Amino acid sequence: MPRYLLTVDYNGGDVESPMAEWAPEEVTAHLNYYRALNTELAERGELVGMEALTGPEVAKVVVGDGVTAPVVTDGPFAEFKEMLAGFQIVDVESEERAIEIAARVSAVPGPGGIPLRQPIGVRRVMDA
């Protein structure tokens, strides 16, 4: 079956306020939605892996030539809203199923329980 990478960035969709400004119960509901979805996908055998990433404020850019010591910097980076926040890899029957899952990720609740409608990237993993 094909695998797809679903990417989440810091683009808040319909919500402009960062999660740090949400009420604690809104953050909990947001994270619980992801937990329930990932549990369901794992039980269906579709979830290969997922990770949430630390913020871009602690990210590094590394450039190396394989001979000298690598150059490590704190940037430059894309705009904050374009930085990768996390990802899921799903192993599904079709691109349509990957899109269906991405739509559910996009609907993660934000403040007031309103779906964020956050843009989710969908990219097929290259076959060997």
Side-chain angles (χ1 to χ4, degrees):
M1 287 193 297
R3 291 182 177 194
Y4 289 85
L5 173 68
L6 310 181
T7 59
V8 178
D9 60 24
Y10 287 98
N11 182 336
D14 289 349
V15 174
E16 293 186 22
S17 62
M19 192 181 298
E21 296 176 6
W22 298 2
E25 61 274 11
E26 293 170 335
V27 174
T28 299
H30 180 87
L31 296 175
N32 284 344
Y33 179 94
Y34 275 120
R35 285 184 191 102
L37 178 58
N38 288 332
T39 297
E40 176 189 328
L41 296 174
E43 288 172 354
R44 291 176 55 107
E46 295 176 316
L47 184 65
V48 175
M50 55 75 54
E51 294 292 338
L53 304 175
T54 59
E57 67 277 1
V58 294
K60 304 287 185 236
V61 173
V62 179
V63 176
D65 61 11
V67 178
T68 61
V71 177
V72 181
T73 62
D74 292 333
F77 295 112
E79 288 188 46
F80 178 76
K81 68 181 181 180
E82 298 169 339
M83 293 293 296
L84 187 64
F87 65 89
Q88 294 162 298
I89 297 177
V90 294
D91 190 358
V92 293
E93 292 288 335
S94 65
E95 181 179 82
E96 290 76 19
R97 177 62 180 147
I99 289 171
E100 179 182 307
I101 295 167
R104 292 183 62 196
V105 174
S106 177
V108 64
I114 304 298
L116 290 183
R117 292 177 15 101
Q118 184 175 24
I120 305 301
V122 178
R123 294 182 63 183
R124 185 168 175 171
V125 175
M126 290 179 66
D127 295 328

